[in-house]
């Protein structure tokens, strides 16, 4: 995950250029590739009926369980020991939902919000095994009875309640299989009569059926569904997708912003500021929804804008404080049947009324959209689009090191401006000329220091890269503010000289 570090107004220019610096954090582990042989290996039969506290004074209701999922997770107290996490649900879950626990936290409540959001009523069980469950070991019985041998949570009608009233009677509890029954202890008012069998693999989930979102079969650019605000429905009929620049480290992390509208709009309406929102209104829209995602991260909350209430005198500052004009819809999920470099197809939805501040929101929209790409000039050269450069970066590497040396040697803004004139490629050079022309004399030295910090990586060393035709992307290691830094820098061959283009830097211990 990347976090942009802003260095003042002028540094924003170099974010536009792609020359941004970002704080690195540890990302969630990539979900494993689908294990086709893990399909239909688990089973569950039975149901539970809850009353009283669980049902919140409602009539008794029975939940029939149809799906069983299981995996090993690290024991939180002893990382050398593996626990077992089991989900027994009435609905099939997708691999994306199950992947929420792939970071090995594996806490009992880790799925709580996800399962509530999906309306997946059922039971969570976590067993702290008395004996280690290591891959490949011979089957061993583990002591599993007793109140303290497992924890449980019952998910029911929006509630996720930890309970110690369940009794697990194991038939098999080994390194690769758990089988048994679940009943209620004593005369507790809820009824549990469940039998299940799950397999355990060296890594990843086993299951019965993994939910897969079917294609929407909508035409590109069309949406079908509604946003319901305080009981009043608005149809969302159109959708647009704009890739938000290029991720220099991993094209799979390219951010895409979706725009859902009632009426069709032009490209002039697809942006962030008040002018774009006013264009939405002029096209006849009362509401629009914006949502940002990537192929690896689909958890951002959608923004809801009441564009019909805007006026030409409204500004973004007052908008940010106006809950009747802008809000985010929490507890929203997205299921996709397709997400590649050209198309996104699926649906975005809430599973029930989302009450926030003084409003209630519900969302259920299917969509199919083609992604509009940014200027390809800023895309990195990768192993798939180019050839490996020499270890020292070859001619592009020499040009970049010379650029760094010249930037560091600049004593004033005039000298730095001359370096940029000689070293930047065409597009970022044009942008820098606009911005540097307006710097007041009193701020020149502060601007010089700011730009040096943004433009270069300290103690830079070239670690290879890729080149193709008149473009190359260098891999750079170094430091930034005393922390380890990695950078990717584009260079363009213009009139026989390698010039510096877009760049991105990741800083921090998570590298």
């Amino acid at each position: 995950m990347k976090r942009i570090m802003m260095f003042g107004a002028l540094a924003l220019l170099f974010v536009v250029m792609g020359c941004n610096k970002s704080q690195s954090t540890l990302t969630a582990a990539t979900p494993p590739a689908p294990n086709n042989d893990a399909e239909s290996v688990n089973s569950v039969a039975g149901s539970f009926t809850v009353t009283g506290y669980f049902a919140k004074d409602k009539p008794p209701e029975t939940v029939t369980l149809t799906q069983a999922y299981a995996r090993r997770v690290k024991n939180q107290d002893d990382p050398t020991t593996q626990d077992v996490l089991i989900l027994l649900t009435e609905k099939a879950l997708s691999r994306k939902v199950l992947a929420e626990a792939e970071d090995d936290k594996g806490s009992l409540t880790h799925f709580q919000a996800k399962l509530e959001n999906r309306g997946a009523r059922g039971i969570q069980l976590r067993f702290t095994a008395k004996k280690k469950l290591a891959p490949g070991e011979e089957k061993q019985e583990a002591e599993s009875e007793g109140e303290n041998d497992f924890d449980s949570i019952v998910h029911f009608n929006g509630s996720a309640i930890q309970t110690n009233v369940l009794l697990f009677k194991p038939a098999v509890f080994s390194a690769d299989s758990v089988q048994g029954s679940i009943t209620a202890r004593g005369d507790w008012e809820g009824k549990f009569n469940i039998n299940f069998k799950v397999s355990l693999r060296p890594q990843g989930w086993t299951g019965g059926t993994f939910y897969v979102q079917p294609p929407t079969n909508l035409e590109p650019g069309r949406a079908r569904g509604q946003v319901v605000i305080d009981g009043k429905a608005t149809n969302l009929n159109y959708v647009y997708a704009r890739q938000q620049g290029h991720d220099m480290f991993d094209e799979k992390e390219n951010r895409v912003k979706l725009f859902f509208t009632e009426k069709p709009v032009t490209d002039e309406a697809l942006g962030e500021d008040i002018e774009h929102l006013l264009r939405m209104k002029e096209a006849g829209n009362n509401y629009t929804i914006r949502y940002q995602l990537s192929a690896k991260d689909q958890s951002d909350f959608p923004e809801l804008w009441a564009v019909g209430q805007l006026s030409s005198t409204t500004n973004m500052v007052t908008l940010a404080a106006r809950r009747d004009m802008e809000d985010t819809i929490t507890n929203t999920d997205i299921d996709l049947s397709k997400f590649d470099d050209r198309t996104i197809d699926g649906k975005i939805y809430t599973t029930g009324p989302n009450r926030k501040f003084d409003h209630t929101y519900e969302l259920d929209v299917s969509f199919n959209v083609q992604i509009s790409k940014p200027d390809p000039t800023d895309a990195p050269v990768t192993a798939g689009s180019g050839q490996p450069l020499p270890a020292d970066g070859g001619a592009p590497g020499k040009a970049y090191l010379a650029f760094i040396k010249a930037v560091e040697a600049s004593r004033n803004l005039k000298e730095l401006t001359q370096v940029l004139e000689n070293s930047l490629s065409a597009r970022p050079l044009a942008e820098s000329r606009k911005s540097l022309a307006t710097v007041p004399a009193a701020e020149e030295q502060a601007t010089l220091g700011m730009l040096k910090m943004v433009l270069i990586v300290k103690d830079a060393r070239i670690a290879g890269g890729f080149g193709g035709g008149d473009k190359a992307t260098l891999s750079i290691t170094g430091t930034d503010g005393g922390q380890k830094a990695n950078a990717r820098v584009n260079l363009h061959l213009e009139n026989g000289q390698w010039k510096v283009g877009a760049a991105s830097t990741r800083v921090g211990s998570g590298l």
Side-chain angles (χ1 to χ4, degrees):
M1 198 74 70
K2 298 198 301 179
R3 308 220 188 284
I4 294 175
M5 300 166 58
M6 305 303 274
F7 298 95
L10 189 62
L12 184 59
L13 158 68
F14 293 97
V15 172
V16 173
M17 290 165 51
C19 203
N20 65 80
K21 292 198 175 182
S22 57
Q23 192 72 25
S24 173
T25 60
L26 291 174
T27 60
T30 303
N35 292 327
N36 293 328
D37 62 344
E39 304 285 350
S40 303
V41 296
N42 298 342
S43 62
V44 60
S47 62
F48 64 89
T49 303
V50 294
T51 60
Y53 180 66
F54 281 98
K56 298 183 178 178
D57 299 323
K58 296 179 180 179
E61 184 175 352
T62 297
V63 176
T64 299
L65 300 172
T66 67
Q67 304 296 327
Y69 304 95
R71 69 158 294 155
R72 299 185 184 119
V73 293
K74 289 181 181 178
N75 181 281
Q76 292 176 308
D77 297 323
D78 181 3
T80 66
T81 300
Q82 292 182 319
D83 293 351
V84 177
L85 184 62
I86 299 174
L87 302 178
L88 307 175
T89 66
E90 64 175 343
K91 295 181 179 180
L93 301 179
S94 69
R95 293 185 183 277
K96 181 171 76 74
V97 172
L98 294 169
E100 292 296 314
E102 293 294 331
D103 58 4
D104 282 327
K105 289 179 181 177
S107 65
L108 190 65
T109 58
H110 195 69
F111 287 121
Q112 181 171 325
K114 255 322 183 191
L115 291 176
E116 287 179 26
N117 189 29
R118 292 298 182 109
R121 300 183 300 180
I123 298 173
Q124 276 178 260
L125 305 172
R126 183 189 177 109
F127 295 91
T128 301
K130 300 299 184 182
K131 296 180 180 179
K132 296 182 180 180
L133 293 173
E137 70 176 348
E138 294 183 2
K139 292 186 177 181
Q140 299 181 37
E141 295 299 323
E143 300 174 23
S144 304
E145 293 187 278
E147 285 190 11
N148 298 322
D149 292 326
F150 73 97
D151 294 313
S152 60
I153 286 182
V154 174
H155 295 268
F156 182 78
N157 287 352
S159 297
I161 304 171
Q162 191 154 354
T163 176
N164 61 357
V165 302
L166 300 185
L167 176 64
F168 171 62
K169 296 182 179 179
V172 176
F173 196 111
S174 68
D176 54 16
S177 182
V178 178
Q179 181 178 351
S181 63
I182 298 174
T183 57
R185 292 181 183 277
D187 57 356
W188 187 65
E189 57 188 338
K191 296 180 180 180
F192 289 76
N193 183 16
I194 301 162
N195 293 283
F196 71 89
K197 179 180 180 180
V198 296
S199 295
L200 300 171
R201 301 293 171 86
Q203 61 180 0
W205 287 92
T206 60
T209 302
F210 292 90
Y211 175 78
V212 177
Q213 172 67 25
T216 65
N217 296 319
L218 292 168
E219 295 180 9
R222 296 307 298 261
R224 181 179 62 226
Q226 297 177 328
V227 58
V228 180
I229 306 168
D230 299 329
K232 184 178 180 180
T234 297
N235 291 327
L236 297 174
N237 304 307
Y238 298 90
V239 60
Y240 305 86
R242 295 291 181 270
Q243 183 178 310
Q244 310 292 296
H246 296 274
D247 189 292
M248 298 286 286
F249 289 84
D250 186 351
E251 287 281 279
K252 291 183 179 179
E253 291 192 1
N254 286 334
R255 308 296 294 180
V256 177
K257 181 151 286 189
L258 302 177
F259 301 81
F260 296 92
T261 66
E262 305 163 73
K263 306 288 185 181
V265 299
T266 63
D267 288 348
E268 286 71 22
L270 305 177
E272 303 295 320
D273 59 24
I274 185 63
E275 295 300 325
H276 291 95
L277 294 173
L278 286 171
R279 297 281 192 280
M280 290 279 188
K281 177 183 178 180
E282 292 167 1
N285 292 283
N286 292 304
Y287 292 97
T288 185
I289 286 179
R290 300 191 304 208
Y291 180 81
Q292 184 168 273
L293 74 164
S294 75
K296 290 186 177 180
D297 181 7
Q298 302 166 13
S299 61
D300 290 339
F301 300 137
E303 302 171 357
L304 172 68
W305 289 87
V307 295
Q309 300 180 32
L310 302 179
S311 69
S312 58
T313 59
T314 307
N315 59 57
M316 294 302 284
V317 175
T318 59
L319 273 179
R322 296 282 302 273
R323 290 292 173 187
D324 56 342
M325 288 188 180
E326 179 269 333
D327 210 340
T328 55
I329 303 179
T330 57
N331 294 328
T332 305
D333 214 330
I334 187 168
D335 285 332
L336 302 178
S337 62
K338 187 175 186 180
F339 190 164
D340 56 27
D341 62 346
R342 294 180 179 273
T343 303
I344 307 178
D345 182 272
K347 71 172 182 175
I348 184 170
Y349 61 94
T350 54
T351 56
N354 175 202
R355 295 176 178 86
K356 187 178 179 187
F357 299 102
D358 298 326
H359 299 291
T360 300
Y361 303 112
E362 293 178 84
L363 178 66
D364 190 351
V365 181
S366 299
F367 65 94
N368 179 280
V369 64
Q370 292 184 339
I371 303 170
S372 176
K373 298 289 189 176
D375 189 339
T377 302
D378 293 335
V381 183
T382 64
S385 60
Q387 298 296 322
L389 293 171
D392 63 357
K398 293 179 182 178
Y400 180 68
L401 292 179
F403 169 69
I404 286 182
K405 184 176 181 180
V407 169
E408 290 178 329
S410 299
R411 295 168 295 179
N412 52 56
L413 194 59
K414 183 178 180 180
E415 290 185 0
L416 179 60
T417 299
Q418 189 58 51
V419 171
L420 300 182
E421 287 284 341
N422 295 334
S423 304
L424 291 187
S425 61
R427 195 172 70 83
L429 178 58
E431 295 292 341
S432 68
R433 285 171 175 167
K434 288 182 187 177
S435 186
L436 293 174
T438 61
V439 177
E443 298 180 13
E444 286 189 359
Q445 284 305 113
T447 301
L448 174 68
M450 187 190 311
L451 291 180
K452 283 187 175 184
M453 185 164 50
V454 174
L455 286 169
I456 63 176
V457 173
K458 291 286 187 180
D459 308 314
R461 292 189 178 184
I462 296 173
F466 297 93
D470 59 358
K471 189 164 82 170
T473 300
L474 298 174
S475 295
I476 309 295
T477 62
T479 61
D480 187 286
Q483 298 187 78
K484 181 180 177 181
N486 287 340
R488 299 289 185 271
V489 182
N490 283 344
L491 282 96
H492 305 267
L493 188 61
E494 298 177 358
N495 299 320
Q497 182 179 348
W498 285 100
K499 302 289 188 76
V500 178
S504 181
T505 302
R506 286 181 173 178
V507 181
S509 58
L511 295 176

